[in-house]
Amino acid sequence: MNKFFEKYEVALWMCVAAIWFFAGLIEKTDITTFAISGGCFWLVFAIIEFIRIKMKK
């Protein structure tokens, strides 16, 4: 389990950032565009990072 977290550390932190932005969206409704764009931005980069690590040999 520890090797998984070491291998995917950066991607997991990106997921945490995306969740943080989406949680901000639920909490405050006046910054919806910023929260949606920030959450989507980090989520897309996390997916790309997961794929990059998975394809790396």
Side-chain angles (χ1 to χ4, degrees):
M1 191 66 158
N2 195 22
K3 291 201 183 255
F4 172 81
F5 289 117
E6 288 177 8
K7 186 176 182 180
Y8 293 105
E9 181 181 7
V10 174
L12 291 171
W13 277 115
M14 289 178 186
C15 289
V16 169
I19 291 169
W20 181 73
F21 273 101
F22 289 133
L25 175 66
I26 293 170
E27 186 177 306
K28 299 176 183 173
T29 58
D30 58 340
I31 56 167
T32 57
T33 305
F34 176 71
I36 291 172
S37 62
C40 290
F41 174 81
W42 286 113
L43 190 61
V44 166
F45 274 113
I47 291 169
I48 291 170
E49 184 69 12
F50 275 116
I51 292 170
R52 185 189 69 79
I53 292 170
K54 197 72 164 167
M55 300 292 275
K56 186 176 162 183
K57 295 194 178 201

